[in-house]
Each structure stands twice: as C-alpha cells, then as structure tokens.
Amino acid sequence: MANKHKTGEAIYQKIANDMAEKIALGKYQEGDLLSGRSSLAAQYSVSPETIRRAAALLREWGIVNSETRNGIKIISKQKAIAITDRLNSVNELLQIKKNINDIISVQKKQQIMLEEQINILLSYIEKKSLASPIKPYEIKITDKCKFIGKKVAEVAFWQQTGVTVVGINRNNELNISPGPNAKFKTEDIFIFVGPEGSYDLVYKYLYE
C-alpha cells in the first residue's frame, strides 16, 4: 500500500513508510533483521544514504533499533501498526481534500461555460428582438415586492403574466432556467421573455 503515500514526500520517507507497512502486515516479525544498507538500496533502487535516512526515521518512530553489521533489527510491530494507521488516515484526508478541490474546479469551469452560453443566448435574443414579438426584459426584485420568499409557481407567475423566466441574476451569479421552484428574493434580477408590454404587466403584478 506504499503507493498510497503522497507524492510530495521525500524518497527516504516513502521507503520508511513502506518498511513500516510491511512490518505492520506481518511480513517481518519483531526480532527479525532487515537487510543491510546495500541490499536494501538495491531492493529500492536508491543510494545507501537514502536507506540510512529511512532507517533513522524508523528508529525515531520506535519501530527498529540501531543498525548492526547484519542489518536493522525490528523491535515493535505495534508501533509500526500505529504509524501505518496514522499515515493512511492522513493520506485518506488528503485524497478527500483533493477530490473536493477537483469537484470545485470542474464546477467553476462548468459555471464559466454556462455563463458564456447564456451570454451567447441573450446576445442572440437581443439581435432578434427587433424582428420578433418576443423580447427579453429584466426587473429588479426590491423589498416592496408582494411575493418575497414565495416560489414562482406558488404565485402563478406564468399564468398571471404570460411571460417565461429564463434566468435569475442573484449575487452576480446567473442561474439559467431557474424553474417553478425559484423564490423571489430581494436584490434578485429576474430575466424573462414575453411580448411587447410585458414589463409593465410584470411590474404591476409584483408591486401593485
């Protein structure tokens, strides 16, 4: 499971983690000797100095004792288990954090793409508005609106005005096709389409 460890670690840390994990899994027992520096260096394809630093870290964790001519003696499987559990927990948290950041990054990209498409749509509607009886309008929702906190469907907005809400700008974030469950909130800007004169009809319905 050594490949679970974060890539930002130094090589000797990864090797120490791998050794601790093997001891925790019972591949080595207390009292066993790990191979000498040269053998371990060949096994991990690193220098003997890297193995020395890995062994020093294992000693710091209380898993092995001082190095001898024959190798490195294992003195505590329990500490190896504790260290492995802690490292795996940290790595799981780091992976969760990475997953969250990846999701946020994807959402941001999607939001940018959505806004671009909305701008294209609104630009197209604006260009065609002179040749079409259907026009886009915007109306700001103030605290004087009769329907603050209520849903679009709840106040029969479409039935009463004959217009279609195509977007809501809330806190400078554009929500396209908000649907019948969208609520009226102060400072919202409702974007809707309808025939000429729709703005006055909507204004009267919301405020008079």
Side-chain angles (χ1 to χ4, degrees), residues 23 28-32 73-79:
I23 295 168
Y28 301 104
Q29 303 297 325
E30 291 182 4
D32 287 353
K73 186 174 182 180
I74 300 167
I75 60 174
S76 178
K77 179 180 179 179
Q78 191 60 42
K79 288 185 178 180

Side-chain angles (χ1 to χ4, degrees), residues 24-171:
L25 293 174
K27 294 182 180 180
Y28 301 104
Q29 303 297 325
E30 291 182 4
D32 287 353
L33 289 175
L34 296 173
S35 303
R37 284 194 207 175
S38 298
S39 297
L40 288 172
Q43 179 182 334
Y44 285 99
S45 300
V46 295
S47 68
E49 173 60 20
T50 299
I51 296 299
R52 184 194 68 76
R53 297 184 68 183
L57 191 54
L58 290 171
R59 285 196 299 273
E60 182 181 326
W61 290 340
I63 297 174
V64 303
N65 68 356
S66 298
E67 191 175 353
T68 67
R69 288 185 178 180
N70 297 322
I72 305 165
K73 186 174 182 180
I74 300 167
I75 60 174
S76 178
K77 179 180 179 179
Q78 191 60 42
K79 288 185 178 180
I81 293 173
I83 285 292
T84 299
D85 287 345
R86 181 174 65 83
L87 290 172
N88 286 337
S89 295
V90 169
N91 289 325
E92 286 174 5
L93 289 173
L94 289 173
Q95 185 60 48
I96 292 171
K97 181 181 178 182
K98 180 181 181 300
N99 292 342
I100 292 172
N101 288 335
D102 288 345
I103 292 171
I104 291 173
S105 177
V106 169
Q107 287 180 331
K108 286 182 178 179
K109 290 178 181 178
Q110 290 176 336
Q111 180 67 25
I112 292 172
M113 292 172 63
L114 178 60
E115 290 177 357
E116 289 176 349
Q117 292 303 308
I118 290 171
N119 288 333
I120 292 172
L121 173 62
L122 294 178
S123 177
Y124 179 83
I125 292 174
E126 184 178 359
K127 289 178 181 178
K128 296 295 181 178
S129 63
L130 294 177
S132 172
I134 303 299
K135 296 183 179 181
Y137 298 93
E138 292 184 2
I139 190 166
K140 187 172 183 179
I141 307 302
T142 70
D143 56 4
K144 297 185 183 300
C145 176
K146 296 185 295 184
F147 305 124
I148 295 297
K150 292 186 177 181
K151 297 178 181 179
V152 170
E154 187 179 356
V155 301
F157 189 70
W158 176 79
Q159 293 88 339
Q160 294 295 327
T161 63
V163 305
T164 301
V165 178
V166 296
I168 297 177
N169 190 327
R170 179 173 295 160
N171 298 325

